Amino acid sequence: MVLHDKFGRAITDLRISITDRCNYKCVYCRTGNEGALFGDLPFADYLRMARVLVGMGIRKIRLTGGEPLLRKGVVDFVRELATLDSQSKQVPRRIAPRNDNRNGEPLDIALTTNGHVLADLAQPLKDAGLTRVTVSMDAVDPDRFARITRVPNGYDHVLAGIRAARRAGLGPVKVNCVLLRGFNEDQIIPFGMFAREEGVAVRFIEFMPLEEGRTWSPSSVVTMDEILARMAEYRPLVEIAHAGSETARRYRFEDGVGEIGIIAPVSHPFCGHCSRIRITSDGKIRTCLFSVWDHDLHAQMRRGASDDELAEFIRGVVEKKEERHHIGEPDFVHASRTMVHIGG
Ligand code: SAM
């Protein structure tokens, strides 16, 4: 069987943070320090972890950070990841699950980036085997963008990165926007226009309590219902059929031009369909963004564990996957790491 947790959820989706350094200091994410706290590992170590996990039924790998494109050698790493599919067919029987869900489906290798250096890397990444890219962008107004990221002139770089990704065929390119009340919710309609003009799928993400500055409160969240109401003032939307496992609710504009999506972990949690685990830049497994502990896979490697032993360790960790997050509830406990050090 594919890797399952004790609630019956199939784990098919892996996120690997390859650094917790970031060249942006987004105000809702960071307090303004230099970023790296936990450091990173040689690519060969992430590759081994990924190989074992692909052998256990993982079908999607997303590279993230920190800012993953700051890591030299990322293109070669993607090329190596792309070879895992064929290798996984040769993994030992004890690792390869019986009746797995591979079904000839190719391994999906995606990337989440702030896009700052994407323009030059989009085509090499595509050639190496990257399938999709998501670019984070929290304003379409350049001045607002600079105030959020605390980086001057970033906007032009990011726009060039988005366009290069489209040209390279890394599509559909998604643009993720986190909305904060009183800060950028006036960007909702401009983002609708941007989606139509640039041919990208804009995804609005509800703000979660994962920031370094502890500024989150329920009232800071711009909810899915508010986003939909605001966007409908611009143009009518039609909902696109939703597969249970999808995190985003997707909508197209009624005239067929442009798509938006909303990821609403706060107002419409989707934990019941969560298929994800994460590996942090320092080689720990996290079973939920809101985990209060993580599981040291890299320590197992350092002590000389075989692939079978790593697979056993991973199975034990997945067993402990949390049922759901408790955002906004009286018993909510902050995660043991903030977003930049987990990998979003
Ligand atoms: N540097 C890359 C980027 O900018 O996409 C990858 C890492 S970044 C932490 C991943 C995503 O997490 C970004 O889209 C960012 O906006 C989002 N994010 C960060 N803090 C968040 C929070 N507290 N709630 C919701 N999303 C958050």
Side-chain angles (χ1 to χ4, degrees), residues 70-83:
L70 294 184
R71 269 302 290 267
K72 287 202 171 57
V74 63
V75 173
D76 291 334
F77 180 49
V78 168
R79 192 172 296 113
E80 302 263 26
L81 285 176
T83 66

Side-chain angles (χ1 to χ4, degrees), residues 22 28-29 64-68 112-115 134-138 176-178 205-211 216 339-340 343-344:
C22 190
Y28 61 86
C29 183
T64 182
E67 175 43 45
T112 300
T113 172
N114 61 30
T134 299
V135 180
S136 303
M137 187 181 180
D138 302 309
N176 276 358
C177 166
V178 177
I205 306 176
E206 289 178 347
F207 181 40
M208 294 178 278
L210 285 166
E211 74 292 11
W216 188 92
M339 188 69 121
V340 69

Side-chain angles (χ1 to χ4, degrees), residues 18 42 45 75 80 121 137 160 164 188 211 249 255 268 295 302 332:
I18 57 175
D45 291 354
V75 173
E80 302 263 26
L121 288 172
M137 187 181 180
I188 293 173
E211 74 292 11
R249 297 279 171 170
D255 65 359
H268 294 72
H295 307 270
R302 286 196 307 271
F332 177 76

Side-chain angles (χ1 to χ4, degrees), residues 36-278:
L37 258 187
F38 297 96
D40 51 43
L41 300 175
F43 280 124
D45 291 354
Y46 301 127
L47 190 65
R48 181 171 173 212
M49 296 173 187
R51 181 169 53 75
V52 170
L53 277 152
V54 167
M56 300 174 80
I58 288 291
R59 298 314 303 150
K60 286 188 195 165
I61 299 179
R62 178 173 291 276
L63 303 184
T64 182
E67 175 43 45
L69 296 187
L70 294 184
R71 269 302 290 267
K72 287 202 171 57
V74 63
V75 173
D76 291 334
F77 180 49
V78 168
R79 192 172 296 113
E80 302 263 26
L81 285 176
T83 66
L84 291 183
D85 241 359
S86 45
Q87 287 178 32
S88 77
K89 292 179 180 97
Q90 299 152 25
V91 295
R93 190 77 244 156
R94 285 186 56 204
I95 296 177
R98 277 174 298 123
N99 304 324
D100 66 24
N101 73 338
R102 284 179 246 164
N103 292 336
E105 239 181 82
L107 186 64
D108 185 11
I109 305 172
L111 170 82
T112 300
T113 172
N114 61 30
H116 194 83
V117 297
L118 180 61
D120 290 340
L121 288 172
Q123 190 64 54
L125 285 165
K126 170 75 181 176
D127 295 343
L130 194 75
T131 32
R132 293 182 296 133
V133 71
T134 299
V135 180
S136 303
M137 187 181 180
D138 302 309
V140 290
D141 167 59
D143 290 338
R144 185 81 57 86
F145 185 85
R147 274 202 282 138
I148 293 173
T149 57
R150 295 187 270 198
V151 169
N153 308 323
Y155 185 84
D156 290 342
H157 290 277
V158 176
L159 191 57
I162 290 170
R163 290 177 175 165
R166 283 199 70 206
R167 277 197 304 278
L170 284 167
V173 174
K174 289 181 194 146
V175 170
N176 276 358
C177 166
V178 177
L179 289 172
L180 272 80
R181 187 168 313 284
F183 202 69
N184 63 346
E185 83 248 56
D186 63 336
Q187 298 290 293
I188 293 173
I189 292 178
F191 264 117
M193 296 173 179
F194 185 83
R196 291 164 65 83
E197 284 159 15
E198 295 290 335
V200 295
V202 172
R203 302 284 177 94
F204 297 101
I205 306 176
E206 289 178 347
F207 181 40
M208 294 178 278
L210 285 166
E211 74 292 11
E212 289 179 342
R214 297 274 171 104
T215 52
W216 188 92
S217 70
S219 62
S220 63
V221 181
V222 183
T223 63
M224 172 162 141
D225 294 349
E226 289 178 73
I227 299 166
L228 286 176
R230 184 73 64 88
M231 193 63 90
E233 289 168 15
Y234 164 51
R235 275 173 181 273
L237 292 166
V238 179
E239 185 162 6
I240 299 171
H242 178 249
S245 56
E246 273 182 286
T247 52
R249 297 279 171 170
R250 294 161 58 215
Y251 301 82
R252 61 174 173 77
F253 290 101
E254 200 180 42
D255 65 359
V257 181
E259 179 186 317
I260 65 149
I262 303 177
I263 301 176
V266 181
S267 68
H268 294 72
F270 38 81
C271 305
H273 297 290
C274 183
S275 56
R276 225 162 291 145
I277 56 170
R278 291 176 158 79

